[in-house]
Amino acid sequence: MEKKMGFFEKLKKSLSKAGNGMLGAIFAGGERVNNEFYEELEEAMIVADMGMDTAERLIDALRDSLDEKGIKTRTEARQELRRIVADEMRADSEFAADKGPAVLLIVGVNGVGKTTSIGKLAAYYISKGRQPMMAAADTFRAAAAEQLTVWAERSGVQIVKHGEGADPAAVVFDAAASFKARKRDILLCDTAGRLHNKKNLMSELEKIRRVLDRELPGVPVEALLVLDATTGQNAIIQARAFGESTGLTGVIITKLDGTAKGGMAVAIKNELGLPVRFIGVGEGIDDLRPFDADAFAEALI
Amino acid sequence: MAFEGLSSKLQNVFKKLGGKGKLSEKEVREAMREVKLALLEADVNFAVVKNFVNKVTERAVGSEVLESLTPAQQVIKIVNEELTALMGGTGSKIEFGSKSPSVILLAGLQGAGKTTMAGKLAGYLSKQYGKSPMLVACDIYRPAAIDQLKVVGSKVGVPVFERGQADPVETAKLGVEEARRQLKDLVIIDTAGRLHIDEGMMDEIAAIRDAVQPAEILLTIDAMTGQDAVNVAKAFNEKLELTGVIVTKLDGDTRGGAALSVKAVTGKPIKFSGTGEKLTDIEPFHPDRMASRILGMGDMLTLIEKAQSAFDEKKAVELEAKLRNDEFTLEDFLDQFEQMKNMGSMQDIMGMIPGMDASKLGNIEIDEKQVARTQAIIKSMTPKERRKPDILNASRRRRIARGSGTTIQEVNRLINQFEATRKMMRQFTGKGKKGGKKGKRRFPFGF
């Protein structure tokens, strides 16, 4: 429990680095809720990368709720907004890997931290007494498999890899066989970073997904999009494109230890219904943790 | 409303207001709301947008609408000019300094693309400037980062200096010495990705800079970065006194407003852009083109340039002659496909056309495999069949389908498409419109 608190403290600290809480200054800026307040709030939400549409929608929701409850002070408004965002961010379904064996297919554009996240996920599942293994299906980037191997050794999990330039679907095929034979319960699939507007690379992902579904029938696949917290409005387009080719079920937000707020996660949940499953707040092997909507809302607002 | 182009939005504004003559304050304000939204959607930083909009408003209010332009076009013209000016006007060249070897230091957040860019720069500068570079690996933190640089280095044929996980400051210094010993005239230092608020790591890179006195200190930034780009750029600039910026992953569909934010807060020029996965995918940065990309107005200039370099003048003249004599054959059709391929991927090309925005692209299937299949079909025909498609009977079509690994339906579709193109081209050449200049078009595919 103590450690958990420490972690959320860390998240809060990092989310509020740019000032006294992302929106802290606004809530402290005066007593009454007035038009100026809403304007400042909208501005702050845009600066947090929530995007115009989401910011407007949240503010409408806040306005309605404040009117309804007769709330007039900014302090109370803050609590209300936290509640709204937390409700918004709560996942509507259970995470498959929490229930039993599952495949976590990790996808995303280049440089968001897919390989690192897999390294940390392996450590996380080991700590939970699970039996994870890795598939190094990024056969494109130079030394990607080596990078993942270092992580595999750190947490002592098995890794399936082929040489650079190999067919990633073949890596996944072998990994699936090994997963069955060794009776593991979490298969972590790394994939090469790819821009979502490259059709060929996206069909490669479709193929990987097909192999998983075919070779591991009955094992649910959680396809998770890794998003760098610094990403702007392009994140939504990414989520849409990756969703089409892999049937995304959730999101991992990395690098929340910088000054970026990760506000696009709110937009993605709102527009596409994709919940955040994990967040990364540091370089340490245990700095990737399950997402907590209340803690996130509190840290953000 | 998400990604409707700015031009059409502005046109709507002015349709409502029906402005003519001078731009009134009311019209400009209304138009600026749209400009502001477009810039925010493109991830330009909020504060930068505010300043920019104020500046443009000042200039636009009361300005005369030029004879040849609509009010909407006039506003876009002003916005585009101001944006280009803010982006840095013309392109900025790389500096090598007076010392040899010249040193280039790359800095940036994790995952911005420094290692890949180090390799691209090494390849580009040796080819374009005749430099003899050496890469120095100073990322001792990310697992296998050194291996990655080595692989990248060997692909571009540039040696890599590394000392494993040893002190990166010392490694940088020794790297430069080693380069001097090997008579290299350029050193590119790859550093670990670091957060701009990590004081220890920021001190480290400042120490590397002090040890090697780089001619260029370049911040590498991901084109997809959102509002936070200003914080990152400001922090790196304050600590390192950057000399320039590199924007990576511009081959995505992001509008890339971060580039503008970074330029605005640091005042440092953007020197290069990364435009693809291959190590040759690096280009000098064009501020004017970035301006229209951010506005969602497409990148007509690049398109035109690409078209000029890819389309063989002579072939174009030949084609015209053929068209005029109605001799357009499947061979020419194939030729066109190949020339189109030289221009880059279809998506690249489509993305550069004004009015083609991301959302619309999503609906049009541009399947490069389809292009390859088309080529296969034509190549499975005999020369005679290519020249005289009329002889393609059922049995020939069956053979072609088998030969190209496609189906008869696909072969039929291609032939229909060819016929349609031929018909369209006949209209293009303006038969009957004697003396008309229509036949001078260089773009047989009606874009």
Side-chain angles (χ1 to χ4, degrees), chain B residues 7-21:
Chain B
S7 336
S8 55
K9 277 190 200 164
L10 286 180
Q11 257 139 30
N12 280 339
V13 169
F14 287 102
K15 215 184 285 161
K16 266 189 296 188
L17 299 167
K20 266 280 163 233

Side-chain angles (χ1 to χ4, degrees), chain A residues 17 43 46-47 49 110-111 140-142 147 195-199 230 232-234 238 255 259 283, chain B residues 37 43 46 50 110-111 142-143 148 155 195-197 224 226-228 249 251-253 277 347 365:
Chain A
K17 242 161 213 156
E43 199 175 306
I46 288 168
V47 171
D49 288 320
N110 317 62
F140 183 81
R141 181 165 60 91
Q147 187 183 344
L195 287 172
H196 47 288
N197 57 348
K198 307 268 154 106
K199 192 168 166 79
T230 58
Q233 297 310 299
N234 195 244
Q238 288 174 28
K255 310 184 200 176
T259 43
E283 303 232 286
Chain B
L37 276 175
D43 288 321
F46 197 86
K50 261 189 172 170
Q110 289 93 342
R142 180 163 60 91
Q148 187 185 348
K155 278 184 187 160
L195 279 175
H196 51 294
I197 47 171
M224 292 173 276
Q227 297 284 323
D228 199 42
K249 307 180 205 172
D251 49 327
D253 55 5
E277 303 243 10
Q347 260 139 330
E365 286 281 304

Side-chain angles (χ1 to χ4, degrees), chain B residues 83-148:
Chain B
L83 210 51
T84 307
L86 192 57
M87 290 281 345
T90 51
S92 172
K93 276 225 164 91
I94 183 136
E95 300 290 335
F96 294 107
S98 49
K99 276 182 299 184
S100 184
S102 337
V103 178
I104 297 175
L105 179 65
L106 296 180
L109 297 179
Q110 289 93 342
K114 288 176 296 302
T115 307
T116 305
M117 188 43 77
K120 287 181 178 179
L121 268 179
Y124 179 84
L125 295 176
S126 53
K127 207 183 279 166
Q128 298 292 321
Y129 290 81
K131 291 283 170 187
S132 173
M134 175 181 261
L135 289 161
V136 176
C138 287
D139 181 357
I140 61 167
Y141 306 96
R142 180 163 60 91
I146 297 175
D147 293 338
Q148 187 185 348

Side-chain angles (χ1 to χ4, degrees), chain A residues 22-23 26 35-60 62-63 81, chain B residues 33 36-37 40 46:
Chain A
M22 161 199 148
L23 310 174
I26 299 160
N35 275 339
E36 201 180 303
F37 163 77
Y38 286 120
E39 263 168 43
E40 286 171 23
L41 188 59
E42 182 172 23
E43 199 175 306
M45 284 174 162
I46 288 168
V47 171
D49 288 320
M50 282 186 194
M52 204 68 186
D53 290 348
T54 305
E56 276 175 3
R57 215 185 32 76
L58 280 176
I59 282 175
D60 285 346
L62 178 66
R63 218 188 274 265
L81 185 60
Chain B
R33 225 184 65 85
K36 188 173 142 185
L37 276 175
L40 286 176
F46 197 86

Side-chain angles (χ1 to χ4, degrees), chain B residues 105 141 167-169 194-211 235-236 239-240:
Chain B
L105 179 65
Y141 306 96
D167 174 37
V169 180
R194 63 201 72 223
L195 279 175
H196 51 294
I197 47 171
D198 185 332
E199 280 172 36
M201 289 296 284
M202 292 302 277
D203 286 344
E204 181 201 77
I205 196 165
I208 293 178
R209 177 203 55 189
D210 295 344
F236 272 97
K239 190 75 184 183
L240 295 176

Side-chain angles (χ1 to χ4, degrees), chain A residues 260-280:
Chain A
K261 311 293 186 294
M264 78 291 183
V266 183
I268 286 178
K269 176 66 170 56
N270 173 243
E271 282 186 35
L272 306 173
L274 292 172
V276 183
R277 292 303 188 181
F278 291 93
I279 54 168

